[in-house]
Amino acid sequence: MRNFLDLSDAGTAGVQAMLDDAVARKAARKGWPKGKADKDAPLAGHVLAMIFEKNSTRTRVSFDMAIRQLGGTSIVMDAGQMQLGRGESIADTARVLSGYVDAIMIRTDDHQKVVDMAKYASVPVINGLTDASHPCQIMADLLTILESGKALPGLKVAWLGDGNNVLASIMEAGGLMDFDVVAACPQGFQPSDEDVARGRGRARVVGSAREAAEGADILVTDTWISMGQAHAETKLAAMMPFQVDAALMAAARPDARFLHCLPAHRGEEVVDAVIDGPQSLTGRRPRTGCTRRNRSCAGASGNWAELKLRLSQLS
């Protein structure tokens, strides 16, 4: 049994295998309706339990569609409507669910909850997001980058803004897949030394947005106020010099691309001209659904391609 709590659980070879299989599965589905199962239906008869302690749009839809397209089914549970929301322990929840389902995805706050779920469950556990990391999102971003025509080794990825969970997973990805991550973050909102160390020497933090953006192949940002945080004016003021605008994009390579995992707070971390502009790989919808998701939709939709592969390896 293999859990997927962080990218390092898969390792370099595992991440590459997931990306390769995701490309193949997307190509094989070309022209199919969204709800049709993959030809091999590797998870036929399998059930995925999805636990949400945080609100979700893309994660909820992408995980549900993924298990359907792999031939399985899902059970969606909001923590507030479970005994978990009334004080039942993670350990007891994990043991009970393991008797009914074949895999568990949990989207929560404290990373220790995911660790404990994996410890006590007898089925694979997937991290759908925690305050510490967001591996499924980054798998989708890596696929998006590849489909934009860029190879991962040797890339310069510039991060602008908060030193959060998404940045932690991007740094980890850089260390595994041999690309550089330069994070521009204001004082007081920088990633921990532990998160930087995930980059295995390929990640560093700077104090200037322009320094990070210069010569970058990919510019990435995220909302500055995460779910569950108050809309702090002090934090917003500190972050404004790191807003991704046209001038900052101009400092990057001419063929640079922009990514945002969404939801976006337009006018804060990014301006309309960038997120809706020709260099953006974010938020463009497919013309004919999942099977024709273009490179931007793969990133904007969060976890679809990665999750499909992750689940197919659980069978």
Side-chain angles (χ1 to χ4, degrees), residues 19-32 38-39 69 143 147 290-294 304-305 308:
L19 292 171
D20 291 343
D21 195 57
V23 170
R25 287 187 178 276
K26 287 180 71 175
R29 292 188 59 83
K30 186 175 182 179
W32 288 11
D38 289 355
K39 189 173 182 180
Q69 292 179 351
L143 179 62
E147 292 185 336
C290 262
T291 61
R292 297 196 179 193
R293 288 175 184 236
N294 59 21
W304 176 77
K308 285 195 67 178

Side-chain angles (χ1 to χ4, degrees), residues 32-279:
W32 288 11
K34 302 178 186 68
K36 182 176 179 178
D38 289 355
K39 189 173 182 180
D40 58 347
L43 293 185
H46 290 64
V47 180
L48 170 70
M50 300 190 290
I51 301 173
F52 291 92
E53 288 195 313
K54 283 194 169 185
N55 294 337
S56 171
T57 299
R58 281 155 290 275
T59 298
R60 184 184 296 254
V61 173
S62 60
F63 271 70
D64 198 352
M65 288 305 300
I67 186 68
R68 294 185 192 201
Q69 292 179 351
L70 290 167
T73 57
S74 67
I75 299 174
V76 180
M77 295 174 288
D78 290 322
Q81 297 176 341
M82 301 169 59
Q83 295 299 335
L84 182 63
R86 299 179 60 191
E88 184 172 35
S89 70
I90 289 285
D92 286 344
T93 301
R95 294 187 186 106
V96 169
L97 289 180
S98 296
Y100 289 98
V101 303
D102 300 287
I104 301 168
M105 183 283 291
I106 179 170
R107 179 179 172 91
T108 186
D109 45 17
D110 185 359
H111 191 77
Q112 189 60 44
K113 292 180 181 179
V114 174
V115 173
D116 289 345
M117 184 70 74
K119 177 180 179 180
Y120 293 106
S122 58
V123 298
V125 173
I126 300 169
N127 173 7
L129 173 141
T130 70
D131 289 350
S133 63
H134 200 355
C136 290
Q137 174 64 50
I138 302 314
M139 285 300 305
D141 286 350
L142 296 181
L143 179 62
T144 302
I145 292 169
L146 289 174
E147 292 185 336
S148 75
K150 298 181 183 295
L152 295 177
L155 282 181
K156 178 182 178 181
V157 176
W159 172 270
L160 292 309
D162 198 9
N164 63 12
N165 52 350
V166 178
L167 174 58
S169 290
I170 290 178
M171 288 179 164
E172 187 174 37
L176 291 171
M177 307 308 288
D178 294 324
F179 60 84
D180 295 319
V181 180
V182 182
C185 310
Q187 287 291 332
F189 301 100
Q190 297 179 336
S192 67
D193 291 342
E194 180 182 6
D195 285 343
V196 176
R198 294 188 189 197
R200 304 182 183 186
R202 304 301 297 256
R204 61 189 177 95
V205 180
V206 299
S208 164
R210 186 172 182 84
E211 181 179 352
E214 285 181 345
D217 299 282
I218 305 291
L219 277 72
V220 191
T221 191
D222 191 13
T223 179
W224 293 335
I225 308 297
S226 298
M227 283 181 288
Q229 296 180 343
H231 198 76
E233 295 303 322
T234 300
K235 184 176 183 180
L236 287 176
M239 292 288 171
M240 282 307 297
F242 300 86
Q243 181 186 75
V244 183
D245 57 16
L248 197 62
M249 288 297 300
R253 292 175 56 89
D255 62 346
R257 298 295 186 219
F258 172 77
L259 280 173
H260 192 306
C261 71
L262 302 180
H265 290 188
R266 293 163 179 261
E268 293 182 4
E269 70 271 9
V270 64
V271 299
D272 287 345
V274 171
I275 196 169
D276 295 330
Q279 291 175 280

